[in-house]
Amino acid sequence: MTRPLWAPWRLEYVGTADEQEGCIFCLARDGPDEEGLVAHRGERAFVLLNKFPYSSGHLMVAPVRHVGEFAELEQDEIVEIHRLAGQGMGALAEVYGPQGYNLGWNLGRIAGAGVTDHVHLHVVPRWAGDTNFMPVLADVKVLPEHLEETRRKLAAIWPS
Ligand SMILES: [Zn+2]
């Protein structure tokens, strides 16, 4: 059962993703960690916090390369994206202690992707009592903790 929560910031984001200048992943990749909410950088992939999260600690793992087609990901990008997702769950476990995770790819606007031309893997921490799996993609939580504070904590505790 989905509870439709009012989340104007996310609606605004989905509405303006097309009009935004530049790719948010490439901007985060090229800018300072604090500005792009980058929690960790690898060789071929990096991890950033979702500015419009579904739950506290909602991470996205993206290839360094600007690529929109899932099938065009290279072997070492695929491997590193998943390794970073695993490390991200390790960091999240330390900071938030979630009870589970959803990992997922939203490919195409119809599938819920806000950004369609730079693929990324969502890592969404889950707790008992939050909404169930599929509706998480259309649902939003109100977050008490400041995103930069979350980024700082995760970056500091990131497992090597
Ligand atoms: Zn990009």
Side-chain angles (χ1 to χ4, degrees), residues 25 28-29 38 40-42 45-48 60-64 84:
F25 294 95
R29 177 196 65 201
V38 175
H40 186 78
R41 295 176 188 271
F46 66 106
V47 184
L48 65 162
M60 299 183 294
V61 190
V64 168
L84 291 181

Side-chain angles (χ1 to χ4, degrees), residues 3-57:
R3 286 171 303 152
L5 300 181
W6 173 238
W9 58 89
R10 180 157 184 90
L11 295 176
E12 186 184 347
Y13 168 65
V14 170
T16 58
D18 281 335
E19 302 147 27
Q20 196 169 356
E21 267 193 49
C23 166
I24 61 157
F25 294 95
C26 291
L27 289 171
R29 177 196 65 201
D30 298 337
D33 289 354
E34 293 77 11
E35 213 168 285
L37 294 174
V38 175
H40 186 78
R41 295 176 188 271
E43 272 181 47
R44 303 290 312 270
F46 66 106
V47 184
L48 65 162
L49 262 76
N50 192 331
K51 284 181 182 167
F52 308 91
Y54 298 113
S55 68
S56 292

Side-chain angles (χ1 to χ4, degrees), residues 1-155:
M1 195 168 87
T2 312
R3 286 171 303 152
L5 300 181
W6 173 238
W9 58 89
R10 180 157 184 90
L11 295 176
E12 186 184 347
Y13 168 65
V14 170
T16 58
D18 281 335
E19 302 147 27
Q20 196 169 356
E21 267 193 49
C23 166
I24 61 157
F25 294 95
C26 291
L27 289 171
R29 177 196 65 201
D30 298 337
D33 289 354
E34 293 77 11
E35 213 168 285
L37 294 174
V38 175
H40 186 78
R41 295 176 188 271
E43 272 181 47
R44 303 290 312 270
F46 66 106
V47 184
L48 65 162
L49 262 76
N50 192 331
K51 284 181 182 167
F52 308 91
Y54 298 113
S55 68
S56 292
H58 178 171
L59 301 176
M60 299 183 294
V61 190
V64 168
R65 194 165 59 98
H66 182 87
V67 52
E69 291 296 325
F70 184 80
E72 284 175 16
L73 286 171
E74 291 168 7
Q75 183 82 1
D76 51 356
E77 289 172 326
I78 292 168
V79 169
E80 187 167 28
I81 286 167
H82 287 86
R83 192 172 60 232
L84 291 181
Q87 292 176 356
M89 287 188 279
L92 287 166
E94 291 285 327
V95 175
Y96 288 115
Q99 295 167 302
Y101 303 90
N102 288 121
L103 268 65
W105 301 85
N106 298 337
L107 302 172
R109 183 61 40 86
I110 191 72
V115 175
T116 56
D117 57 354
H118 194 143
V119 292
H120 48 280
L121 172 61
H122 289 270
V123 178
V124 183
R126 304 303 304 270
W127 286 266
D130 67 12
T131 53
N132 56 12
F133 174 43
M134 291 311 287
V136 77
L137 301 177
D139 205 346
V140 186
K141 299 264 175 233
V142 176
L143 301 167
E145 193 176 22
H146 192 272
L147 286 167
E148 168 51 23
E149 178 67 7
T150 301
R151 188 208 66 80
R152 196 187 55 72
K153 281 185 191 169
L154 292 175

